[in-house]
Amino acid sequence: MDPHSLTKLNQCRRERRAAILLTDLGDGSDRVIVEGDAVDGALGDAVANAFRSGKSGTREVDGRAFFLNVHLPPPRLVMIGAVHISQALAPMAAIAGFDLQIIDPRTAFASPERFPNVRLDAEWPEDVLAREPLDAYCALAALTHDPKIDDPALTAALKADCFYIGALGSRKTHARRVERLTAAEISSASIGRIRAPIGLAIGAASPAEIAVAVLAEIIEALRSRGVGAERGKAA
């Protein structure tokens, strides 16, 4: 590997940015493509697909063979609210490979007894996220129904361009949320990125079923970044 490529890859890891080490199998030359870099033609399509899937492999492009070694930051799921849905969602998301964090200033809820082996921050979201900023490889699920807790986290997620932002609540609840965020000078385009009601529309009723719907929607968002596909909403 070219030393410059190694330096660039290590920088991307530190900054939690996705990158591909592209190697020309014909002459052995390599270069690093950072997600968002412009790559034209069929190679650009192959690169975009590799970023979405996270899978490395060989691609034939215009009669040339390339190996795409994909380096994605570990996806991080931040749950706002140590609630029943979080109790079901945490173990499923861990199995799916997400780094987990639960933030809830209500210490009666955010206890190790209720959430074994899960990182808990019994603080206000704005304090935690100021220390540990969100990024494009983070998903945020706001689950408390309490605007004082959920709204600052949603605002931080929108500013960080998280790949997934979801909020629990009915359409009426979300309409009031939209009013508050609009009053806080968040643009309508940004607010429109919030998945609310949260989760895929599978008719989920219990906390465990809602957790399944939420995790499915998060995975869909992760694997379809940049595609612009429409997604269903839970009622």
Side-chain angles (χ1 to χ4, degrees):
M1 182 193 303
D2 186 294
H4 176 71
S5 295
L6 179 59
T7 299
K8 193 169 181 180
L9 274 180
N10 286 334
Q11 181 181 357
C12 288
R13 290 192 187 101
R14 288 192 299 271
E15 297 175 355
R16 280 182 55 83
R17 300 181 68 193
I20 290 175
L21 178 65
L22 179 72
T23 303
D24 188 323
L25 297 179
D27 60 19
S29 62
D30 61 55
R31 64 185 172 109
V32 173
I33 300 170
V34 180
E35 190 169 30
D37 287 353
V39 182
D40 295 329
L43 182 58
D45 294 338
V47 165
N49 289 333
F51 274 127
R52 280 194 292 270
S53 70
K55 294 181 179 179
S56 301
T58 302
R59 304 289 187 273
E60 295 283 342
V61 179
D62 297 330
R64 299 168 64 188
F66 296 91
F67 188 80
L68 284 68
N69 194 349
V70 185
H71 298 262
L72 302 184
R76 174 183 166 205
L77 170 57
V78 178
M79 289 167 273
I80 306 300
V83 297
H84 291 310
I85 294 171
S86 305
Q87 285 181 298
L89 179 56
M92 290 190 292
I95 291 171
F98 287 85
D99 290 343
L100 304 177
Q101 183 177 16
I102 295 175
I103 303 173
D104 195 327
R106 304 170 299 181
T107 54
F109 293 92
S111 68
E113 292 76 22
R114 298 183 72 231
F115 293 92
N117 305 315
V118 178
R119 178 182 168 183
L120 294 171
D121 286 284
E123 301 177 62
W124 291 94
E126 54 264 46
D127 295 331
V128 178
L129 299 179
R131 292 195 309 267
E132 301 171 55
L134 301 165
D135 58 50
Y137 273 83
C138 291
L140 184 128
L143 304 170
T144 74
H145 278 299
D146 186 337
K148 298 190 302 297
I149 302 173
D150 286 347
D151 285 6
L154 290 168
T155 299
L158 290 169
K159 290 179 178 177
D161 197 27
C162 291
F163 76 84
Y164 175 87
I165 306 167
L168 190 66
S170 66
R171 288 182 172 83
K172 248 183 219 184
T173 297
H174 186 58
R176 292 193 292 270
R177 182 184 294 123
V178 169
E179 290 175 0
R180 293 192 303 272
L181 295 176
T182 300
E185 299 185 346
I186 306 296
S187 71
S188 58
S190 291
I191 296 170
R193 294 193 58 229
I194 299 173
R195 313 294 186 86
I198 198 169
L200 294 182
I202 60 173
S206 69
E209 290 176 349
I210 294 170
V212 170
V214 172
L215 182 58
E217 190 172 54
I218 290 171
I219 292 171
E220 180 191 40
L222 177 64
R223 298 306 177 198
S224 61
R225 288 167 299 122
V227 176
E230 293 186 0
R231 301 168 179 89
K233 298 296 174 200

